[in-house]
Amino acid sequence: MPETLSGRERIKNYLADHDISRAQLATMYGMNKQDVSDYLAGRKTTPAANKFIITLIKDFGIKYERN
């Protein structure tokens, strides 16, 4: 599974720039707020967490360049 550290950071910046809270994000995706927080913080790095990160990048059109 790909490393999602850069993606998580880009998502957190996007959320801050667009004034979207983790609670709002959890509501939008029908998830638990704690799971969203754990996924974005990297405390959970399961395949489901990685899939969620990739989904957010695609859904919000966040630019993602490989280093």
Side-chain angles (χ1 to χ4, degrees):
M1 190 51 92
E3 172 55 48
T4 59
L5 177 61
S6 177
R8 289 193 313 266
E9 290 303 316
R10 290 174 189 270
I11 291 166
K12 288 190 278 189
N13 290 337
Y14 181 91
L15 296 176
D17 291 346
H18 292 87
D19 198 29
I20 300 171
S21 72
R22 292 178 183 198
Q24 290 170 319
L25 193 62
T27 300
M28 289 168 57
Y29 285 89
M31 297 176 63
N32 179 300
K33 181 182 171 242
Q34 188 61 52
D35 284 339
V36 170
S37 292
D38 288 345
Y39 291 170
L40 293 177
R43 288 186 293 269
K44 288 187 180 178
T45 56
T46 63
N50 291 340
K51 182 178 178 183
F52 180 67
I53 296 300
I54 292 167
T55 297
L56 291 178
I57 291 169
K58 288 179 181 178
D59 287 354
F60 288 111
I62 297 170
K63 300 291 182 201
Y64 188 81
E65 298 91 27
R66 288 182 171 240
N67 294 341

